Amino acid sequence: MPRSTVQELYRHLALPVISAPMFIVSGPELVIAQCASGIIGSMPALNARPQGVLTEWLTQIETALARLKAQDPQRAIAPYAINHIIHKSNDRLAQDLDVCAHHKVPLIITSLRAPGDVVDTVHGWGGKVFHDVTTLRHARKALDAGVDGLILVCSGAGGHAGTLSPFALLAEVRKIYDGPIALSGSIARGQDILAARAMGADFAYMGTRLIASHEARADEAYKQMLVQSQANDIVYTPFFTGIPGNYLKPSIAAAGLDPDNLPAPGAEHTNFGTSRSKPWRDIWGAGHGVGSIDSILPVQEIVENLKAEYRQAHAQLDDRFQGGQA
């Protein structure tokens, strides 16, 4: 995806933000609210259960966004994205891609392995592919597969996060790639969005802040726990899915487990098929930016607050440093 295409996306955005697709939490209501507020909304295809529901949800999203655009042709409506787990245990992948092809989904987010075959399929209907990576090696593999953009899932991100600092991973990837990059890792404020751009990312990748929204399909107790938690309430463990992730300690304790003494399962525990267990239902994911969340609001209000914080942070930069002048 050339830089001009990034600029084209910016024209439809109120903020340079892609919402992370969150298992169970993200549904059509959340995606519609995100896109209508001017940020790229997303959801995992696997959230639509049974599989036939995915068609209904995509139709719901497209109809709602088209209606909003018809009501106000000048309104910037962001495109939406669907996430696919590219893992051998995901026995729905082919069916879900067929549905996305029928709807010509504009942006596909892929996770877990280099998505070469998926890239060809998505390009066939004119869509673009952004791929989650946690290391430079994964980034190289994704680029070799022909993806259109990278999502750097760094330390501090909610759910299945990497271990590298956003500063380190972004700097390394920018040495080999000048295309679109979304950056994640403790991004919960407008200041964080500006920082991500200053570091060289094109988009901030946000999830946890948007769980604490009226439109999110999260348990109300989950939303309240986000408001009450701080960064030290997060534990990083592969125990629940076989892949390391960040989770809220209080939710682990509520399930009768000791969050400070969890064993590490092997890769055989990884399962994204239709028979998978659902740890996210009772064991709740969150990123290190959880301490910045102090309220549960409609998505539109959250985005308006982020915009105000972003503008204020931008205006304050020059005032905070006047050095280097003769």
Side-chain angles (χ1 to χ4, degrees):
M1 188 186 290
R3 304 305 306 176
S4 60
T5 309
V6 173
Q7 294 301 322
E8 174 63 22
L9 280 175
Y10 282 171
R11 290 199 314 109
H12 300 283
L13 302 181
L15 280 173
V17 170
I18 300 174
S19 172
M22 296 171 284
F23 191 62
I24 297 181
V25 170
S26 302
E29 304 86 359
L30 184 58
V31 173
I32 292 166
Q34 291 164 344
C35 294
S37 299
I39 64 174
I40 296 174
S42 75
M43 69 179 186
L46 288 172
N47 278 8
R49 293 176 183 264
Q51 197 274 335
V53 173
L54 182 59
T55 296
E56 299 174 15
W57 282 9
L58 296 190
T59 300
Q60 180 182 346
I61 292 168
E62 291 165 353
T63 301
L65 296 180
R67 184 183 303 117
L68 289 171
K69 192 66 174 177
Q71 292 170 351
D72 183 1
Q74 301 305 312
R75 181 173 181 172
I77 303 292
Y80 73 95
I82 298 298
N83 170 236
H84 296 281
I85 301 297
I86 313 299
H87 188 271
K88 61 183 179 181
S89 68
N90 181 6
D91 50 11
R92 280 181 41 170
L93 180 59
Q95 289 176 287
D96 288 342
L97 280 172
D98 284 345
V99 173
C100 289
H102 177 75
H103 286 265
K104 292 184 169 56
V105 173
L107 181 60
I108 296 295
I109 297 172
T110 52
S111 308
L112 290 188
R113 73 164 174 82
D117 48 345
V118 174
V119 169
D120 293 339
T121 299
V122 176
H123 286 174
W125 76 68
K128 303 296 183 184
V129 178
F130 276 38
H131 187 66
D132 288 345
V133 302
T134 58
T135 67
L136 182 62
R137 180 174 66 88
H138 292 146
R140 291 184 188 277
K141 287 186 175 182
L143 294 173
D144 288 343
V147 301
D148 303 288
L150 297 173
I151 299 169
L152 310 189
V153 186
C154 302
S155 176
H160 293 141
T163 58
L164 293 178
S165 160
F167 289 94
L169 185 56
L170 181 57
E172 290 184 358
V173 172
R174 274 299 183 215
K175 287 183 177 180
I176 65 166
Y177 178 61
D178 64 356
I181 289 178
L183 184 66
S184 74
S186 304
I187 297 178
R189 308 172 303 154
Q191 295 93 324
D192 306 331
I193 300 169
L194 181 63
R197 291 200 65 198
M199 290 164 60
D202 301 289
F203 307 94
Y205 198 59
M206 299 182 69
T208 304
R209 180 63 192 93
L210 294 159
I211 301 173
S213 68
H214 292 177
E215 295 86 351
R217 293 187 166 208
D219 190 291
E220 287 303 313
Y222 184 178
K223 298 178 184 182
Q224 289 294 336
M225 190 175 291
L226 292 173
V227 172
Q228 297 164 2
S229 295
Q230 305 295 323
N232 62 1
D233 292 311
I234 305 297
V235 62
Y236 185 71
T237 177
F239 178 74
F240 299 103
T241 66
I243 299 172
N246 282 316
Y247 303 91
L248 287 163
K249 286 184 179 182
S251 71
I252 298 172
L257 299 168
D258 182 352
D260 296 317
N261 291 284
L262 295 171
E268 68 274 7
H269 288 76
T270 307
N271 177 26
F272 292 93
T274 54
S275 61
R276 73 169 296 197
S277 60
K278 301 179 178 64
W280 311 98
R281 183 176 54 197
D282 302 307
I283 308 298
W284 298 328
H288 289 178
V290 67
S292 297
I293 301 173
D294 57 12
S295 58
I296 302 167
L297 300 169
V299 167
Q300 182 175 359
E301 190 170 344
I302 292 173
V303 174
E304 288 300 319
N305 290 342
L306 291 171
K307 287 166 60 178
E309 293 168 353
Y310 183 92
R311 289 192 297 265
Q312 182 179 14
H314 194 281
Q316 288 175 340
L317 281 180
D318 288 341
D319 294 337
R320 290 185 173 182
F321 180 68
Q322 299 293 337
Q325 300 178 6

